[in-house]
Amino acid sequence: MDLFAHGRQAQIEKESPLANRMRPRTLDEYVGQTHIMGPGRLLRRAIQADQLSSLIFYGPPGTGKTTLAMVIANTTESHFITINAVLAGVKQIREAIATAQERRNLYGQRTTLFVDEVHRWNKAQQDALLPHVENGTIILIGATTENPYFEVNKALVSRSRIFQLRPLTQDDLRQIAQQTLSDPERGYGNLNVHIEPDALEHLVDVANGDARGVLNALELAVETTEKGEDGRIQITLEVAEESIQRRAVLYDKEGDVHYDTISAFIKSLRGSDPDAALYWMAKMVYAGEDPRFIFRRMTIFAGEDVGMADPQAMGVVTGCWQAFERIGMPEGRFPLAQACIYLATAPKSNSVFAFFAALSSVEKEQEADVPNHLKDGNRDSEGFGHGKGYLYPHAYRDHWVAQQYLPDALQGKMFYEPSDQGYERQIRDEVARKREAQLAAMLETGDLGLEIGEIYTTSPKNKGKEAWLQRTISQAGQALGQQREQLFELAAVQRHHLVLDVNAGSGLLTWEAVRRAPEGAVYALAAATTDGEALRQQAERLPELERPFILIGDLTELDTLLALRGEENLQFDRILARNLFTQHAIRNIKPEILTALADRLLPDGRFCLIQTIPKHGQRLHQLVDWSGETKTLAKKVAKAEEAIYADESDPLVNWDETDVRVGLESAGFTIATHQLDREKGQRRLTKAHLARWFGENGDGTYGRRLQEAGLSEKEINKVHVLYKRQLEEQVVGWETAVLYLVAQ
């Protein structure tokens, strides 16, 4: 670039719009999107380490997609090329690829290609990139306002990480505005600009999450306001209202927001929420959606979701539609709103889906002949006897008579199931009675050879047989898997979350967290060195940026371990734990440790716990048949066992779910939900179990407890023999009490 070209470039940058001049240049200047750019998040770590793979940024306008790409351009050591898909075609793609190949061959340098508005390219243009992304010639960064799963080739999507950017918060927009007013180089730091608080709030509020919108409005306000006598540019609420008058509503009639908004509208109608339905419909009307499209969807809804619960709904909606066509806008909004409110408040039934069940039966079943008495008898009743035996309903009382209408092979098949809502509640019993009468009439006439489509009989379940069939060696693993699934349902871990597993152990929760939060980060705290080293060895199989961070130490050392990583202020979206208080009894943990754990949780984060409660565990005496023994011995053993679990000096059993809740609440947690499940499984009791319980001379853990409870040596030996005879090498039912808790 010559001196004159450089001068022109500097002049262009100086005269460019404020929103372009104020684009952040570094990670520290970047504002917002903390869910993907906050400390510890995968994308931030990848940018800092200059280890980017192909990326697609997806989000509304003004959320920082292009800006983020520019930050990457200023950070990476790779050659950076920018293309706008609106202006560029295959020629520009080929030139970029040629440059990338040359750089790699001559200098061994990677090339990052940023394509703005990537969804604007057609399939052929996108395909032109694919082989070069595949072989690593270029690292692709695409930005799009459209859903990449619909608008970008599947092959490119499958080779890229997708990050969704959200509308900026009001705090983000305020920070951007303040940066602009204080920046002397690119903003208005050299001007004496004073913006009144209510004026700034108006700009931020009406911009509706769009950084470009608030900067454009601020630029207009500053550039069109004259200096006062004191040399100060005063931005009042009146000036701000003139600069940006109408709230920006994100709505593209062919894009994601269009489909998402109509989906929210329909789901609000289905959920019988007239307030939400009116809101979503108002948003569509405000954004310029064609009311005919809304009427069309409401007409479908009247049949699909209201249906026979209120047969008048279809007439009301089509009547409102006709009125709208005659009136037009803006008065046509009255029938539009009337139809919306009627549908939202109407009883609901989707029983008309019976048609699709019938359609499916037609597709799958062998073609069935029309029963002879239902055939048209106008032409061949004499020759073939078609129509013979048909009973004319109007000739009977109540204009109904029991007779066969379905094909023989489908007798007894039910497609339509009336709901108990609205009008259908009135006809439900009558429909059932007539079906029963038709089936009874068919059987009484001797048509017993028909293939009935439904099975109308059942029998009690054989619980013993079912338990035997379900008995597997892997049942313990299956139970743990179910516990893990239930915990993650409560946790609702999202892809960008920061997750901490505070009692990692074997990694049961850690590896599931890694799968569920690939764009976030997972930290696992292992108390035992052997557990931690095993987790690290397993983690090495993953790419470096996708590995969990393994911390080895006790819960009391968590702050120190994070500080050693330079992350002393790191907070998490989710903190997970399994059996945290089994080794560290809740009564023995210092409150400040749990308080420190609460401080590690983001304001909207969740602490999710699976905790086995040993105090409510399986009692051994309940597994034994005492019918041949004295009742006195059985009672003494039962009493002794209960004494074991009532021992206040034993940290394993001297606490329960109430202690857990109280301990967490005293540390600053708020319990959102908790439930104690009695989970029934099976366990194989081996010789080793009996040996541990009773020892060689009745001095095992269980035998010693029986002795402390007052049982004689003879009685303990008798119990030992009984347990050995009935339990050794047997699979028994085993009940475990498990607490599922979510705190905030």
Side-chain angles (χ1 to χ4, degrees):
M1 181 181 292
D2 59 29
L3 183 62
F4 297 103
H6 183 273
R8 285 195 300 272
Q9 181 66 28
Q11 183 68 18
I12 290 172
E13 291 180 0
K14 184 178 180 180
E15 295 176 354
S16 67
L18 177 66
N20 187 58
R21 300 200 308 269
M22 287 303 299
R23 286 191 189 278
R25 296 161 294 188
T26 65
L27 282 173
D28 292 334
E29 291 180 357
Y30 191 84
V31 177
Q33 311 303 335
T34 55
H35 64 289
I36 59 173
M37 289 295 294
R41 310 285 179 179
L42 173 71
L43 183 56
R44 188 182 188 92
R45 303 199 316 270
I47 294 172
Q48 291 172 332
D50 197 10
Q51 293 186 19
L52 290 171
S53 58
S54 292
L55 309 171
I56 295 178
F57 298 140
Y58 159 52
T63 52
K65 299 183 296 299
T66 304
T67 297
L68 190 50
M70 296 300 103
V71 169
I72 293 172
N74 294 332
T75 306
T76 182
E77 294 182 1
S78 67
H79 181 59
F80 202 88
I81 302 175
T82 300
I83 291 178
N84 190 303
V86 177
L87 305 175
V90 175
K91 177 184 176 183
Q92 286 77 9
I93 297 175
R94 289 173 177 167
E95 291 174 352
I97 298 302
T99 301
Q101 291 172 334
E102 181 181 1
R103 292 249 174 194
R104 187 169 68 170
N105 294 335
L106 294 179
Y107 312 112
Q109 185 183 28
R110 296 174 302 158
T111 296
T112 301
L113 174 63
F114 172 60
V115 183
D116 203 3
E117 304 289 337
V118 66
H119 64 276
R120 299 295 186 107
W121 272 346
N122 58 35
K123 186 177 185 300
Q125 291 170 312
Q126 292 183 31
D127 282 343
L129 290 174
L130 187 59
H132 307 289
V133 172
E134 185 74 37
N135 63 24
T137 301
I138 60 170
I139 298 170
L140 172 67
I141 300 179
T144 174
T145 56
E146 303 294 331
N147 191 325
Y149 290 102
F150 297 144
E151 302 298 334
V152 179
N153 284 5
K154 291 182 179 179
L156 280 180
V157 168
S158 68
R159 289 162 175 79
S160 307
R161 283 191 179 273
I162 297 176
F163 291 92
Q164 184 172 1
L165 281 70
R166 302 169 179 167
L168 298 178
T169 66
Q170 292 194 350
D171 287 340
D172 294 335
L173 295 180
R174 289 190 198 96
Q175 184 178 346
I176 290 170
Q178 295 295 350
Q179 283 181 354
T180 302
L181 293 174
S182 61
D183 190 318
E185 179 185 350
R186 298 174 295 159
Y188 296 125
N190 289 329
L191 299 177
N192 189 3
V193 178
H194 178 262
I195 183 167
E196 295 179 359
D198 54 353
L200 178 59
E201 289 305 308
H202 176 77
L203 296 181
V204 166
D205 180 53
V206 181
N208 209 23
D210 185 338
R212 189 180 294 109
V214 78
L215 289 175
N216 288 343
L218 185 62
E219 181 179 28
L220 181 61
V222 172
E223 300 294 342
T224 59
T225 302
E226 296 183 358
K227 295 181 179 179
E229 294 181 358
D230 57 355
R232 187 166 69 170
I233 298 175
Q234 185 76 14
I235 308 300
T236 64
L237 176 60
E238 182 180 0
V239 172
E241 288 175 342
E242 291 176 354
S243 301
I244 181 169
Q245 299 175 354
R246 180 178 169 92
R247 180 179 298 276
V249 175
L250 179 63
Y251 196 85
D252 183 345
K253 291 186 180 181
E254 295 181 357
D256 266 9
V257 180
H258 162 78
Y259 292 106
D260 290 343
T261 307
I262 193 63
S263 174
F265 173 62
I266 294 299
K267 288 173 180 174
S268 300
L269 290 177
R270 187 177 295 134
S272 298
D273 188 335
D275 302 309
L278 286 169
Y279 170 79
W280 295 116
M281 188 173 73
K283 182 176 182 180
M284 289 187 285
V285 172
Y286 182 88
E289 183 62 80
D290 186 353
R292 293 173 182 82
F293 167 74
I294 302 174
F295 269 121
R296 177 179 176 274
R297 294 303 301 266
M298 286 196 292
T299 304
I300 296 169
F301 182 90
E304 177 182 351
D305 288 283
V306 176
M308 289 297 293
D310 184 354
Q312 302 299 320
M314 186 70 73
V316 170
V317 175
T318 54
C320 288
W321 194 349
Q322 289 176 355
F324 172 83
E325 295 295 349
R326 292 185 179 184
I327 297 171
M329 292 290 275
E331 292 84 354
R333 290 180 288 189
F334 288 109
L336 186 68
Q338 180 182 348
C340 170
I341 294 171
Y342 188 94
L343 291 177
T345 57
K348 306 296 189 296
S349 171
N350 65 348
S351 59
V352 293
F353 273 94
F355 167 74
F356 298 98
L359 190 63
S360 176
S361 182
V362 171
E363 293 172 349
K364 296 176 182 177
E365 303 284 348
Q366 184 177 352
E367 185 176 355
D369 194 17
V370 176
N372 193 64
H373 65 286
L374 297 182
K375 291 180 179 178
D376 178 16
N378 290 325
R379 296 165 298 171
D380 50 22
S381 61
E382 295 297 329
F384 293 113
H386 289 174
K388 295 285 184 165
Y390 171 65
L391 304 178
Y392 187 56
H394 295 297
Y396 294 84
R397 183 180 176 182
D398 297 328
H399 303 266
W400 181 83
V401 63
Q403 65 181 323
Q404 174 185 348
Y405 290 100
L406 277 168
D408 290 348
L410 293 177
Q411 279 304 312
K413 186 77 173 178
M414 290 180 287
F415 299 112
Y416 173 56
E417 288 287 346
S419 72
D420 59 355
Q421 300 297 310
Y423 171 73
E424 279 191 309
R425 183 188 302 168
Q426 304 173 33
I427 65 172
R428 185 178 185 182
D429 290 344
E430 189 62 23
V431 170
R433 289 191 187 100
K434 288 179 177 177
R435 278 179 174 155
E436 292 162 3
Q438 283 185 198
L439 184 58
M442 176 196 71
L443 295 174
E444 287 175 9
T445 55
D447 295 332
L448 300 177
L450 299 177
E451 293 182 19
I452 305 300
E454 295 283 324
I455 298 174
Y456 289 100
T457 62
T458 185
S459 58
K461 293 182 179 180
N462 184 331
K463 294 183 179 179
K465 180 180 179 181
E466 286 186 344
W468 180 80
L469 290 173
Q470 293 171 4
R471 195 174 294 163
T472 62
I473 295 174
S474 62
Q475 194 174 50
Q478 181 182 4
L480 289 177
Q482 290 172 349
Q483 289 183 7
R484 178 187 59 198
E485 291 303 311
Q486 187 166 343
L487 183 77
F488 274 92
E489 280 187 25
L490 294 170
V493 173
Q494 298 182 23
R495 294 177 64 86
H496 61 274
H497 276 171
L498 287 179
V499 182
L500 170 64
D501 181 359
V502 289
N503 193 27
S506 64
L508 178 73
L509 304 182
T510 300
W511 301 118
E512 183 65 18
V514 169
R515 284 189 287 272
R516 298 202 183 207
E519 278 81 48
V522 177
Y523 290 70
L525 178 64
T529 303
T530 52
D531 290 341
E533 292 301 333
L535 289 173
R536 283 177 177 170
Q537 290 178 16
Q538 295 175 62
E540 288 177 359
R541 302 173 187 173
L542 297 173
E544 184 177 353
L545 286 173
E546 299 176 19
R547 295 172 189 168
F549 299 105
I550 309 302
L551 311 175
I552 301 177
D554 193 71
L555 186 60
T556 59
E557 302 173 280
L558 177 61
D559 288 346
T560 303
L561 293 170
L562 289 173
L564 289 174
R565 293 180 46 82
E567 297 171 332
E568 55 272 10
N569 297 321
L570 191 63
Q571 290 183 298
F572 298 90
D573 298 285
R574 298 291 184 268
I575 298 178
L576 311 178
R578 174 177 171 268
N579 288 341
L580 179 63
F581 305 120
T582 301
Q583 295 177 337
H584 309 281
I586 185 72
R587 292 184 179 182
N588 296 347
I589 292 182
K590 294 181 180 179
E592 54 266 27
I593 296 175
L594 292 179
T595 302
L597 195 63
D599 292 340
R600 289 287 173 186
L601 204 58
L602 286 165
D604 59 346
R606 299 180 189 177
F607 171 65
C608 304
L609 170 72
I610 309 174
Q611 180 62 56
T612 301
I613 308 295
K615 190 168 188 174
H616 302 317
Q618 177 67 51
R619 302 318 196 230
L620 295 181
H621 72 271
Q622 295 173 344
L623 302 175
V624 178
D625 179 7
W626 295 89
S627 59
E629 306 300 322
T630 63
K631 293 182 178 179
T632 303
L633 180 59
K635 289 180 180 179
K636 291 176 79 171
V637 172
K639 184 178 179 180
E641 267 200 77
E642 293 307 321
I644 295 174
Y645 291 96
D647 186 352
E648 288 292 326
S649 65
D650 188 346
L652 185 65
V653 297
N654 65 1
W655 55 275
D656 59 14
E657 68 278 7
T658 301
D659 294 297
V660 173
R661 296 201 306 270
V662 171
L664 291 174
E665 287 172 343
S666 64
F669 286 100
T670 299
I671 307 301
T673 181
H674 64 90
Q675 65 184 58
L676 186 68
D677 288 356
R678 302 279 182 173
E679 298 184 357
K680 294 183 178 180
Q682 291 177 335
R683 179 174 295 185
R684 187 177 189 86
L685 300 181
T686 65
K687 291 181 179 180
H689 286 107
L690 273 293
R692 187 167 66 249
W693 295 343
F694 289 95
E696 294 182 1
N697 301 309
D699 56 355
T701 54
Y702 188 74
R704 190 171 61 253
R705 291 285 192 161
L706 295 181
Q707 185 179 17
E708 292 171 358
L711 273 73
S712 66
E713 183 177 345
K714 182 178 180 181
E715 288 175 322
I716 295 173
N717 289 335
K718 197 171 186 179
V719 173
H720 186 186
V721 171
L722 183 67
Y723 281 21
K724 186 177 180 69
R725 185 171 67 244
Q726 293 192 28
L727 300 181
E728 188 172 281
E729 300 303 331
Q730 297 296 315
V731 176
V732 298
W734 196 272
E735 188 175 277
T736 306
V738 180
L739 174 67
Y740 295 89
L741 180 144
V742 177
Q744 295 173 321

